Amino acid sequence: MSEVVATNQTILVVGAGVSGITAAVEAAETGKQVILVEKRPYVGGRITQLYKYFPKLCFPSCGLEINQRRLSAQPGITVLTMAEVTQVSGSEGDYNATIKISPRYVNENCTACGACAEGLEAKFDDDHNYAMSKRKGAYLPYNMAKPERYVIDPAIIGSEEAENAKAACRFDAIDLEMQEQTIEFNAGAIIWATGWRPYDAAKIQPYGYDRFDNVITSVEFERMMDRFGPTGGKILRPGDGKEAKDIAFIQCAGSRDRNHLKHCSRICCMASLKQSTYIGEQYGEDDEAAKGTIYYIDIRSIDRFEDFYRKVQEDPKISFIKSKVASIEQDKEGNPVVNGVDTEGYNRYANTHDLVVLAVGMEPSVDKSMFPVEVVVNEHGFIEADESSGGIFAAGCSADALDVNRAVQSATAAALRAIQVVNRNAAAAEA
Ligand SMILES: Cc1cc2nc3c(=O)[nH]c(=O)nc-3n(C[C@H](O)[C@H](O)[C@H](O)COP(=O)(O)OP(=O)(O)OC[C@H]3O[C@@H](n4cnc5c(N)ncnc54)[C@H](O)[C@@H]3O)c2cc1C
C-alpha cells in the first residue's frame, strides 16, 4: 500500500459505491487530493450486484468500468479497500481521521489466476450473491472485482486450508502474516457515501420470507439473472431448483408502512418494472406460461421513467393488480399463494405463483450511532444537510433513497461543497 500523505487540503470520501467514486473523481479532477475508503475488498458498491439498469436496460458493468478507469487515471486519489474510519476528531477544515485496514492476506503480486482456491474445501456464504451461494476461503469477490485480487477469508487463517492456498500460489502473493493496520491523517472535509442496505424482509412476517423458500427479495432476483450469479443466470426456485415462469412482484414490501420503513424508496417500482422484463428475456415472448404480475399500491415512475412504465403496461406478459398484498401462504407443492383485495374491483384474490419477489426498500447502511463523528440524520436515518455539520457532507444513498442518476448528482453536489471547504483553507493559508 502506498503511503498516505494528507493535509487539510485533502478530501476524505467514505464508501466507494457509484456515489463515492463520483465524488472522489469530481474532486480530484479539479486538482484536489482525495482519499477514498471502502470497507469491501473492491470498489463499486451495490450496483455491482445489479443485472441491468432501468430504464435503458444496459449492464451496470459498462458505466462502472468507465468510472473505474476515471478512478485509476487520477493520481490524486488514494483508494483504500477493506478499510473503515474508526475515529474522527477536529472541525471543519481540519479533521483528523483514523482508518483501520483489515488484512487481505494477498499482496499486489496476485494475478487472479485462482490457483490458491482450487484445492480448498471449506465453504462460506457468498455475500456478493446475498448468501444464495457459497464461496471458498480464498476468493475473488466477483468476476469483475477491482482491484482484481483474491482475498483470504480470516476464518481459514491458522488452518491447513490457508497453508494449502499459500503453497498453490506461484507468484508469492499470499502473505498469511499480514496484520491489521491503523493509519491516521489530516483532511479538510469529509464526504459520507456509505450507501444503503436492503430492508430485512424477514421482518415482514405476513409475507413469510423466512418461512417460504420461493419467496425471495428484489436484490436476490437481480443476482439470479447474472450468468456469473448463484443460478448461472437462470430463474430457478430456491425451494426445488425448478424453473420459475409465473412470477409475482410485491411492491412496497415493508415500505410506506409505519411498522417498517415509513419512507418510499422511489426506485422499487422502477426496479420491479425492469425485473418484469427479465421474464420475456429469459423465456422468449412466445412462452405463454412465462408471465409476471405486479401487485402495487400506486406506481411511482416520474419524468422519463413514465415511458418505461407505459411500455411495460403494453406487454401482454405483464399484468397489474392494484392492491397492497395482505399475506402470502404456501401450498403443498411449495408454490407461494398471494392473498389480498383488488382495490379496483374490490374482489378478494388468492393467486398461486411459481415465485414471489418482494420489492424491499432501501435503508441507510450505517445506523446513526455507528458513525465515528456526529452527523445529523432525518427520521428515516438518512444524513441531513445541516450547518452544524461543518465540513461533513453526504453523497448518494447515505443522504436519501435514490436511483443511480440522482445519486451521482448528489455526489457531485457533495464534492463541490467539500471543494469549497478546502479552498477556504488554501485561501486562509495564503493570507
Ligand atoms: C432491487 C434494486 C434494483 C435497483 N436497480 C436500479 C436500476 O436499475 N437503476 C438505478 O438507477 N438504480 C437502481 N437501484 C438503486 C441503486 O442500487 C443505487 O442508486 C446505488 O447503489 C447508490 O449507490 P451509492 O454509492 O449511493 O450506495 P452503495 O451502492 O450502497 O455504495 C456504498 C458503498 O459504501 C461502502 N460502505 C458502507 N459503509 C461503509 C463504511 N463504514 N466504511 C467504508 N465503506 C463503507 C459500501 O461497502 C459500498 O461500497 C436499485 C436498487 C434496488 C434495491
Side-chain angles (χ1 to χ4, degrees), residues 273-299:
L273 291 169
K274 168 186 75 169
Q275 292 184 342
S276 73
T277 71
Y278 295 170
I279 301 172
E281 176 187 327
Q282 176 106 165
Y283 298 110
E285 299 308 323
D286 298 333
D287 186 336
E288 285 180 11
K291 57 186 177 185
T293 309
I294 299 180
Y295 295 84
Y296 70 103
I297 304 176
D298 44 34
I299 294 288

Side-chain angles (χ1 to χ4, degrees), residues 14-21 37-40 42-47 50 52-55 83-85 192-198 218-219 222 267-268 270-271 274-275 278 305 360-362 365-366 395-398 400 402-405 407:
V14 189
V18 67
S19 305
I21 294 176
V37 170
E38 168 55 51
K39 73 171 180 188
R40 291 180 175 190
Y42 59 95
V43 300
R46 291 198 186 264
I47 61 166
L50 299 180
K52 282 187 175 175
Y53 270 161
F54 56 72
E84 282 182 75
V85 183
W192 292 105
T194 42
W196 61 280
R197 64 180 174 222
S218 48
V219 290
E222 289 289 325
I267 58 90
C268 314
M270 282 304 294
K274 168 186 75 169
Q275 292 184 342
Y278 295 170
F305 295 158
V360 286
M362 300 156 91
S365 78
V366 181
C397 289
S398 66
D400 213 340
L402 300 169
D403 60 49
V404 170
N405 190 23

Side-chain angles (χ1 to χ4, degrees), residues 310-329:
R310 297 275 167 251
K311 217 167 130 206
V312 176
Q313 275 182 314
E314 284 162 16
D315 184 341
K317 284 195 163 312
I318 312 300
S319 49
F320 290 79
I321 297 180
K322 187 168 171 61
S323 169
K324 167 96 179 155
V325 167
S327 67
I328 299 172
E329 291 165 335

Side-chain angles (χ1 to χ4, degrees), residues 80-109:
L80 305 174
T81 50
M82 303 189 71
E84 282 182 75
V85 183
T86 54
Q87 221 178 324
V88 175
S89 59
S91 57
E92 174 174 343
D94 189 21
Y95 292 105
N96 198 274
T98 307
I99 315 287
K100 181 190 85 180
I101 305 172
S102 300
R104 180 187 278 263
Y105 302 108
V106 177
N107 63 33
E108 279 148 17
N109 293 345

Side-chain angles (χ1 to χ4, degrees), residues 71-221:
L71 197 60
S72 46
Q74 270 305 330
I77 304 178
T78 304
V79 182
L80 305 174
T81 50
M82 303 189 71
E84 282 182 75
V85 183
T86 54
Q87 221 178 324
V88 175
S89 59
S91 57
E92 174 174 343
D94 189 21
Y95 292 105
N96 198 274
T98 307
I99 315 287
K100 181 190 85 180
I101 305 172
S102 300
R104 180 187 278 263
Y105 302 108
V106 177
N107 63 33
E108 279 148 17
N109 293 345
C110 179
T111 63
C113 70
C116 56
E118 270 165 26
L120 305 192
E121 302 285 331
K123 297 278 173 66
F124 302 89
D125 281 349
D126 186 343
D127 293 339
H128 194 74
N129 289 332
Y130 294 101
M132 294 169 87
S133 61
K134 300 279 181 190
R135 59 155 173 79
K136 294 186 175 176
Y139 64 102
L140 189 65
Y142 81 108
N143 61 311
M144 287 185 62
K146 290 279 179 312
E148 194 180 6
R149 208 188 308 162
Y150 270 62
V151 185
I152 304 288
D153 194 309
I156 69 164
I157 294 298
S159 73
E160 206 178 312
E161 290 256 299
E163 296 301 335
N164 291 344
K166 184 175 166 61
C169 179
R170 291 182 290 123
F171 303 98
D172 201 18
I174 297 184
D175 174 1
L176 300 175
E177 305 304 318
M178 214 179 257
Q179 299 292 318
E180 180 180 298
Q181 274 184 285
T182 301
I183 56 169
E184 258 185 69
F185 54 81
N186 198 208
I190 302 175
I191 297 175
W192 292 105
T194 42
W196 61 280
R197 64 180 174 222
Y199 184 67
D200 178 5
K203 291 184 184 162
I204 321 162
Q205 272 300 305
Y207 292 175
Y209 173 78
D210 57 348
R211 303 189 297 284
F212 309 140
D213 289 338
N214 299 324
V215 175
I216 65 168
T217 65
S218 48
V219 290
E220 291 168 342
F221 193 60

